[in-house]
Amino acid sequence: MNPSQTPPAHNPPWWRLPIVWMVIAGPAIVVVASLITVTLAVKHVDPVLDTSKGQVKGVNDMPAVQGRNHAASPERQPADR
C-alpha cells in the first residue's frame, strides 16, 4: 500500500459524537427550565389586593410605596430621654 492510497476515514454518524449532545443539551435544559417556571407561575398566582374596599389590614398588606412611606415616617415620635 503506497502513501497516496490512504484508507477512508471512519466517520461515525452525528448522533454518536458526544460533542453534538453537549451542544444540544444546553438549549434543551433551558427550554425545560422555562417550561417548569411557566408552570409554577401559572399554578401559584399571587393574589391581588383590593385596597379600595378596605381589605388592607396592616402595613405588611399595603402597596410598596405606601408601606415604605409609612416605615420612613412613623405616626408617633420617639420618646424624649
Side-chain angles (χ1 to χ4, degrees), residues 11-68:
N11 291 331
W14 67 269
W15 62 85
R16 297 220 178 171
L17 298 173
I19 192 71
V20 172
W21 293 109
M22 289 175 60
V23 169
I24 292 173
I29 289 171
V30 170
V31 168
V32 170
S34 67
L35 292 175
I36 291 170
T37 303
V38 167
T39 303
L40 289 173
V42 169
K43 284 186 178 181
H44 302 288
V45 179
D46 290 337
V48 177
L49 295 176
D50 185 13
T51 58
S52 65
K53 295 184 179 157
Q55 292 181 350
V56 177
K57 294 177 180 56
V59 177
N60 293 337
D61 294 336
M62 286 185 183
V65 173
Q66 291 175 352
R68 184 180 70 231

